[in-house]
């Protein structure tokens, strides 16, 4: 539904798009509805799903939950930016619409929604898949297997290099050389914010989710010549 709305709504409303003003505010209601449902479902899973091992404080939860709005909006605002550029009659705008469409197709549709999604689906913890679906608070509460750490880096790198950077550059060129459009400016700001967040998440992600307590008695230290009871006594 997210992918369909992100692509379908801008295309369906393309005849109504304005080079100067973008879309009518009511055109965004379908996407807003999907956004609210997705985020409500994320909160529901966080509260009720017993398989979620981690635990976030209210502040930590909001610091994960609220910034994830940027990533969720990014794919949609980039698609609407393409339609807005296409509605402008100047050669520069038409060229940017073509290049923006090409980079969106490669960097978002193919790279993220197909290729990265296949690798993320192989994560037994589902942390990478949750991240791809912009459920950042939920993914932070799941311990990431060591073998999936590379996939976590790829999810964030592809989002930054395949979508955020090229779209932000091209949309900025539109603002400079074609027209000052408020929605295009919003799309640039969302892309930059999403890129910064993706880099931060890639660098600061820990394998063990916050609030998860390891039981040393359940761990096997025999191969290391160590005794779990002795280690526990030292830590106590």
């Amino acid at each position: 539904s997210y992918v369909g709305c992100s692509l379908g709504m801008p295309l369906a409303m393309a005849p109504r798009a304005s080079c100067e003003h973008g879309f009518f505010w009511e055109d965004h209601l379908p996407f807003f509805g999907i956004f609210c449902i997705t985020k409500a479902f994320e909160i529901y899973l966080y509260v009720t799903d017993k398989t979620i091992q981690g635990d976030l404080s209210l502040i930590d939860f909001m610091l994960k939950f609220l910034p994830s709005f940027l990533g969720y909006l990014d794919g949609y605002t980039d698609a609407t930016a393409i339609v807005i550029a296409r509605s402008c009659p100047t050669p520069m705008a038409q060229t940017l619409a073509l290049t923006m469409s090409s980079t969106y197709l490669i960097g978002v549709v193919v790279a993220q929604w197909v290729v990265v999604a296949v690798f993320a689906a192989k994560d037994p913890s589902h942390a990478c898949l949750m991240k791809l679906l912009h459920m950042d608070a939920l993914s932070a509460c799941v311990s990431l297997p060591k073998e999936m750490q590379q996939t976590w880096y790829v999810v964030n790198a592809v989002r930054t290099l395949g979508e955020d950077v090229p779209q932000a550059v091209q949309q900025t060129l539109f603002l400079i050389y074609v027209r000052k459009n408020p929605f295009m400016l919003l799309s640039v700001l969302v892309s930059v914010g999403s890129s910064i967040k993706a880099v931060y998440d890639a660098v600061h992600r820990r394998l063990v989710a916050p609030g998860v307590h390891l039981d040393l008695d359940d761990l096997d230290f025999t191969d290391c010549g160590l005794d779990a009871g002795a280690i526990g006594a030292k830590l106590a």
Side-chain angles (χ1 to χ4, degrees):
S1 58
Y2 168 73
V3 173
C5 193
S6 294
L7 294 175
M9 198 294 295
L11 292 175
M13 300 298 176
R16 295 158 55 96
S18 164
C19 180
E20 183 177 359
H21 301 294
F23 292 85
F24 293 107
W25 68 267
E26 59 266 26
D27 292 339
H28 305 297
L29 290 179
F31 179 82
F32 179 71
I34 297 296
F35 167 81
C36 291
I37 292 172
T38 303
K39 288 304 172 183
F41 185 61
E42 181 179 5
I43 295 176
Y44 172 78
L45 290 177
Y46 178 81
V47 174
T48 64
D49 193 341
K50 302 302 182 182
T51 64
I52 302 299
Q53 300 173 324
D55 185 26
L56 299 173
S57 67
L58 179 60
I59 295 178
D60 289 337
F61 177 85
M62 299 307 290
L63 288 176
K64 294 287 185 183
F65 184 73
L66 295 180
S68 71
F69 293 6
L70 292 174
Y72 197 98
L73 291 171
D74 199 19
Y76 173 74
T77 56
D78 286 341
T80 54
I82 294 171
V83 174
I84 291 172
R86 187 71 181 82
S87 69
C88 299
T90 66
M92 180 66 174
Q94 295 300 305
T95 299
L96 285 173
L98 178 61
T99 58
M100 289 162 66
S101 299
S102 300
T103 52
Y104 189 90
L105 176 64
I106 297 172
V108 180
V109 178
V110 176
Q112 291 186 57
W113 295 345
V114 178
V115 177
V116 174
V118 170
F119 286 100
K122 297 179 181 179
D123 177 11
S125 71
H126 304 302
C128 293
L129 189 59
M130 293 174 188
K131 177 64 178 176
L132 191 63
L133 296 174
H134 308 291
M135 294 184 175
D136 292 9
L138 207 59
S139 68
C141 294
V142 178
S143 295
L144 182 68
K146 177 65 176 178
E147 62 271 17
M148 297 306 301
Q149 190 173 33
Q150 195 67 33
T151 302
W152 178 268
Y153 292 149
V154 170
V155 170
N156 291 282
V158 170
R159 181 172 295 170
T160 299
L161 302 178
E163 178 183 5
D164 297 336
V165 173
Q167 292 297 328
V169 170
Q170 293 172 98
Q171 291 165 16
T172 300
L173 291 175
F174 179 93
L175 291 171
I176 295 174
Y177 296 108
V178 180
R179 183 176 291 275
K180 302 291 190 298
N181 184 290
F183 197 84
M184 190 73 74
L185 177 60
L186 173 64
S187 184
V188 172
L189 296 177
V190 170
S191 291
V192 173
S194 178
S195 179
I196 294 173
K197 185 180 184 305
V199 172
Y200 179 88
D201 288 344
V203 173
H204 291 84
R205 168 73 200 206
R206 295 181 178 180
L207 296 180
V208 179
V212 173
H213 302 286
L214 297 177
D215 188 349
L216 293 176
D217 292 333
D218 294 335
L219 302 180
D220 185 6
F221 295 95
T222 55
D223 292 338
C224 304
L226 300 174
D227 178 68
I231 295 175
K234 290 289 186 181
L235 296 176

